[in-house]
């Protein structure tokens, strides 16, 4: 992997001025840089907190970290040469391979010369008189820019629960989303893992194999579908390359940006035997596509219950100990109402002798002690604690930037009751600020690279049109944002998605966070049509001058 950093911070220099500053060098920041610099000819700088590019995949290096979208479509679609030159080795790429891919793309497009690593944005404020943003970094640098574009991802603000006594723990602790690049040696260690979301479910089988003993602290039992990861054959690579146009056409025309279509069948309109055969086939094929087995899994309680029942039966076939099985069986929410994980041997892990499961509903954590974790029942002695406790999703990464819009209005204030955006792209009173995959856009309900490309393309067209029309300022109108928030709520309420009380889609995993369903659930293709229509209407809902 190429790791060279081209730009190093220059302290105490006069403010650097740019046409656009992009915050973050993951999938979205890299593509946005390419579009603005290489297509519009703008003077652009990317500021990246990490010591390397990759965004999510720079930070998430925990054992077992891999993507749960399939490799052949968890990648960019905008460049034919890159598409034809790159080969994925596995069905679900590991974090190392995704970093290699992003470095490969960056090198091909010569992006690194405009990316400044090790540069964390401390704050940014809009100046009404100059129509410019002033960006300040933790390292003391100042930048001025006409357009400020956040490419910080939806899941980049780690959520470490505030357990009393963590500072006293004599062992080591880590959050999965901030994993040390040098790795962690678990050999001979007693490890505690808190959290059983997508991350914890990927992590547990690997930790169980590497540690002396693994204690998993579970608050909510989860569903999971087998990933069925495997190597990709050269024949499959060739076939995908030949068919890429069709892959992308299908991905863009669907609900979730995946190149498979939702079944047209209802789960309750078929016979029991037909339903079982369809679920069984989907279970054997593995992966997130299980959700597409029937059209109403996320729209109708009865249909959802058939999927939930099927998975519960599968868990019962795997887990041998009846007491553990009871704890591991999800009953408080329907399948896929929370983001469903996929796994490689998760439930099988509980058949091992060196794994224990603590049900935090029965014995909540009281404190972290010098020696480990104390629940209401007992103290568990541990050498290492791993927090697989997720993220302050959607709003967390943006609020941490300390953004101040027109006349000193802070984003924290604007979003005090939850995020209010127009299309997830702009927030009223924050002129010239674009949020790639911001709250109110399909983002995490979608295959992320597809959602990112759509946003970056829209932003690029918008800036191009402004420049062509001699405009320098764009701001979402408050009424347009209000109406969009209503549409986001209506789209969510037409599904079962808001029903999982512990879902991070609702911000429920972070104590004190407003409970608002944040992504747009009306479908990716529909969302794209809405955005395109707004472009054609000469930017309805945006005030431009
Ligand atoms: O986070 P989560 P994640 N005490 O929020 C528990 C994406 N992803 O990192 O359910 C005890 O889903 C919490 O319990 P509960 C994917 O979109 C993608 O696993 O809130 N437990 C839950 O079990 C995914 O959905 C890939 O009751 C506490 C867990 O911690 C998203 O990232 C791979 C707690 C957190 O689960 C987030 O997944 C991995 C507390 N105080 C992840 N606080 C790809 O392949 C939280 N928990 C692309």
């Amino acid at each position: 992997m190429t790791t060279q950093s081209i730009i190093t911070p220059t302290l105490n220099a006069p403010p650097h001025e740019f046409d656009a500053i992009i915050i973050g060098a993951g999938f979205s920041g890299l593509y946005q840089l390419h579009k603005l610099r290489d297509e519009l000819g703008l003077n652009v700088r990317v500021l990246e907190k990490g010591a390397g590019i990759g965004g999510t995949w720079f930070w998430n290096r925990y054992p077992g970290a891999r993507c749960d979208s399939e490799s052949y479509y968890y990648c960019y679609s905008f460049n034919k040469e890159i598409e034809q030159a790159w080969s994925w080795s596995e069905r679900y790429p590991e974090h190392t391979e995704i970093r290699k891919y992003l470095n490969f793309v960056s090198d091909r497009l010569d992006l690194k010369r405009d990316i400044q690593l090790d540069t964390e944005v401390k704050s940014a404020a809009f100046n009404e008189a100059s129509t410019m943003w002033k960006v300040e970094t933790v390292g003391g640098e100042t930048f001025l820019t006409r357009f400020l574009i956040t490419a910080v991802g939806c899941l980049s603000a780690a959520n470490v629960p505030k357990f009393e006594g963590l500072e006293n723990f004599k062992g080591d602790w880590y959050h999965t989303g901030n994993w040390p690049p040098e790795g962690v040696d678990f050999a001979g260690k007693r490890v505690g893992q808190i959290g059983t979301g997508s991350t914890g479910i990927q992590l547990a089988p690997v930790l169980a194999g590497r540690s002396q003993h693994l204690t998993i602290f579970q608050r909510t039992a989860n569903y999971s579908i087998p990933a069925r990861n495997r190597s990709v054959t050269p024949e499959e690579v060739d076939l995908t390359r030949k068919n890429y146009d069709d892959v992308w056409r299908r991905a863009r025309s669907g609900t979730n940006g995946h190149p498979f279509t939702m079944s047209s069948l209802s789960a309750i309109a078929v016979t029991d035997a037909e339903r079982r055969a369809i679920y069984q086939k989907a279970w054997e094929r593995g992966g997130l596509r299980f959700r597409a087995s029937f059209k109403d899994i996320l729209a109708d309680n009865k249909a959802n219950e058939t999927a939930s029942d099927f998975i519960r039966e599968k868990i019962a076939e795997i887990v041998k100990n009846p007491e553990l099985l009871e704890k591991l069986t999800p009953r408080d929410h329907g399948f896929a109402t929370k983001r469903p994980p996929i796994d490689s041997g998760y439930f099988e892990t509980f058949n091992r002798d060196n794994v224990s499961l603590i049900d935090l509903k029965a014995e909540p954590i009281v404190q972290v002690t010098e020696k480990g974790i104390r629940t209401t029942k007992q103290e568990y002695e541990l050498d290492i604690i791993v927090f697989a406790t997720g993220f302050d999703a959607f709003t967390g990464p943006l609020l941490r930037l300390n953004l101040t819009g027109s006349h000193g209005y802070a984003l924290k204030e604007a979003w005090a009751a939850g995020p209010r955006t127009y299309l997830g792209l702009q927030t009223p009173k924050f002129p010239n600020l674009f949020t790639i995959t911001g709250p109110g856009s399909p983002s995490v309900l979608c295959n992320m690279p597809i959602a990112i490309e759509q946003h970056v393309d829209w932003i690029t067209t918008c800036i191009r049109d402004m420049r062509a029309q001699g405009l320098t300022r764009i701001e979402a109108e408050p009424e347009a944002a209000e109406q969009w928030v209503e549409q986001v709520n209506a789209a969510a309420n037409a599904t079962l998605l808001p029903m999982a009380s512990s879902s991070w889609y609702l911000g429920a995993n972070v104590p004190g966070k407003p409970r608002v369903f944040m992504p747009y659930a009306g479908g990716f293709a529909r969302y794209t049509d809405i955005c395109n229509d707004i472009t054609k209407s000469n930017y309805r809902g945006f005030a431009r001058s």
Side-chain angles (χ1 to χ4, degrees):
M1 189 203 313
T2 318
T3 51
Q4 85 229 70
S5 158
I6 306 299
I7 301 174
T8 44
T10 45
L11 301 181
N12 302 321
H16 317 278
E17 195 167 324
F18 292 92
D19 298 319
I21 295 260
I22 299 164
I23 308 174
F27 265 97
S28 47
L30 296 175
Y31 181 43
Q32 187 69 81
L33 167 61
H34 168 61
K35 290 291 278 189
L36 294 182
R37 186 192 71 181
D38 301 336
E39 285 190 14
L40 300 195
L42 302 193
N43 181 19
V44 186
R45 169 117 358 140
V46 177
L47 305 180
E48 166 57 55
K49 178 179 165 187
I53 66 163
T56 288
W57 302 105
F58 178 81
W59 301 102
N60 283 269
R61 299 166 186 237
Y62 58 87
R66 51 179 78 246
C67 181
D68 2 298
S69 289
E70 296 190 41
S71 52
Y72 76 92
Y73 63 86
Y74 189 81
C75 49
Y76 292 118
S77 71
F78 69 86
N79 185 305
K80 286 260 165 281
E81 278 175 25
I82 289 172
E83 183 183 280
Q84 296 297 317
W86 180 262
S87 305
W88 292 104
S89 68
E90 289 182 279
R91 183 177 177 192
Y92 302 97
E94 214 186 348
H95 60 99
T96 43
E97 192 170 20
I98 304 175
R99 278 198 301 283
K100 265 190 207 148
Y101 169 74
L102 290 173
N103 274 280
F104 169 81
V105 172
S106 298
D107 291 340
R108 279 252 167 164
L109 301 176
D110 192 17
L111 297 179
K112 288 178 183 167
R113 65 187 156 91
D114 292 304
I115 301 172
Q116 183 170 318
L117 301 176
D118 295 310
T119 304
E120 183 176 357
V121 170
K122 183 174 81 179
S123 63
F126 182 70
N127 183 307
E128 204 61 60
S130 62
T131 323
M132 298 286 275
W133 281 87
K134 183 176 173 188
V135 180
E136 293 188 314
T137 71
V138 169
E141 278 186 289
T142 303
F143 299 86
L144 297 175
T145 181
R146 165 76 14 104
F147 296 105
L148 180 62
I149 303 172
T150 64
V152 290
C154 304
L155 295 162
S156 52
N159 169 42
V160 180
K162 294 184 175 55
F163 291 125
E164 186 195 317
L166 181 57
E167 66 285 1
N168 302 326
F169 181 55
K170 292 272 191 259
D172 296 318
W173 68 266
Y174 307 92
H175 185 280
T176 51
N178 197 4
W179 202 257
E182 65 280 11
V184 178
D185 184 5
F186 291 99
K189 306 282 189 202
R190 297 161 304 171
V191 181
Q193 173 189 318
I194 307 176
T196 52
S198 298
T199 299
I201 279 177
Q202 285 186 338
L203 178 70
V206 187
L207 285 191
R210 290 190 192 168
S211 61
Q212 184 206 105
H213 191 91
L214 175 66
T215 306
I216 298 178
F217 295 85
Q218 170 193 278
R219 189 163 69 178
T220 306
N222 218 337
Y223 299 90
S224 183
I225 306 296
R228 310 229 185 265
N229 190 33
R230 57 173 177 75
S231 299
V232 175
T233 64
E235 294 72 33
E236 285 172 317
V237 171
D238 278 352
L239 192 66
T240 306
R241 281 184 182 154
K242 282 193 193 109
N243 288 315
Y244 253 128
D245 287 347
D246 186 47
V247 168
W248 300 130
R249 186 191 52 71
R250 282 184 286 131
R252 291 200 187 90
S253 60
T255 311
N256 298 108
H258 294 262
F260 44 77
T261 41
M262 178 72 71
S263 164
S264 57
L265 294 174
S266 160
I268 40 185
V270 294
T271 66
D272 289 354
E274 282 165 342
R275 187 187 314 113
R276 171 155 278 284
I278 288 170
Y279 281 142
Q280 182 61 31
K281 194 168 165 208
W283 183 264
E284 279 160 23
R285 187 174 46 217
L288 291 174
R289 193 169 167 181
F290 188 94
R291 277 185 304 192
S293 299
F294 292 102
K295 66 176 181 185
D296 44 5
I297 288 180
L298 269 176
D300 180 284
N301 270 316
K302 274 195 188 147
N304 185 278
E305 197 56 19
T306 65
S308 305
D309 278 344
F310 179 86
I311 301 167
R312 285 192 281 254
E313 280 171 33
K314 288 293 180 190
I315 300 172
E317 282 170 22
I318 301 169
V319 179
K320 300 209 162 57
N321 178 320
E323 218 178 292
L324 287 180
L325 172 61
E326 185 48 35
K327 289 182 191 169
L328 286 165
T329 305
R331 298 191 200 283
D332 73 327
H333 65 284
F335 166 68
T337 55
K338 289 171 75 165
R339 160 66 151 77
I342 61 172
D343 71 277
S344 299
Y346 175 67
F347 293 110
E348 290 82 348
T349 299
F350 296 92
N351 295 332
R352 295 176 64 115
D353 292 336
N354 71 332
V355 174
S356 3
L357 177 68
I358 308 305
D359 176 5
L360 295 180
K361 290 255 161 69
E363 48 173 313
I365 293 175
V366 177
Q367 63 176 164
V368 178
T369 64
E370 283 189 8
K371 291 185 184 164
I373 290 177
R374 188 191 304 284
T375 67
T376 48
K377 270 198 187 153
Q378 69 175 89
E379 183 177 34
Y380 296 90
E381 292 194 8
L382 303 166
D383 303 306
I384 298 176
I385 300 174
V386 179
F387 289 92
T389 42
F391 301 89
D392 181 355
F394 306 103
T395 52
L398 293 165
L399 293 174
R400 284 181 188 196
L401 297 174
N402 296 310
L403 301 172
T404 313
S406 287
H407 309 293
Y409 190 54
L411 192 66
K412 284 191 176 77
E413 218 180 311
W415 288 2
R420 307 190 85 70
T421 72
Y422 185 34
L423 303 169
L425 280 161
Q426 274 218 328
T427 299
K429 299 205 173 102
F430 291 81
N432 294 4
L433 171 73
F434 294 101
T435 47
I436 302 176
T437 64
S441 72
S443 64
V444 297
L445 298 179
C446 203
N447 171 35
M448 281 306 283
I450 286 285
I452 285 166
E453 286 187 333
Q454 186 264 339
H455 258 197
V456 168
D457 290 345
W458 192 93
I459 292 166
T460 307
T461 304
C462 174
I463 293 177
R464 188 202 61 201
D465 290 351
M466 284 177 70
R467 289 166 65 85
Q469 294 164 18
L471 305 173
T472 55
R473 192 182 196 280
I474 177 165
E475 179 184 347
E477 290 169 352
E479 308 75 47
E482 286 313 308
Q483 282 167 19
W484 183 247
V485 170
E486 278 170 30
Q487 284 197 55
V488 171
N489 290 337
N493 291 333
T495 72
L496 304 178
L497 286 166
M499 295 182 71
S501 60
S502 60
S503 167
W504 58 262
Y505 292 156
L506 284 161
N509 60 327
V510 178
K513 189 165 173 169
R515 287 224 174 181
V516 176
F517 190 86
M518 290 177 277
Y520 174 71
F524 177 72
R526 187 158 151 217
Y527 175 82
T528 305
D529 286 347
I530 294 170
C531 290
N532 291 345
D533 187 53
I534 287 168
T535 309
K536 277 200 211 112
S537 73
N538 209 17
Y539 300 93
R540 188 177 62 242
F542 291 96
R544 302 184 312 146
S545 53

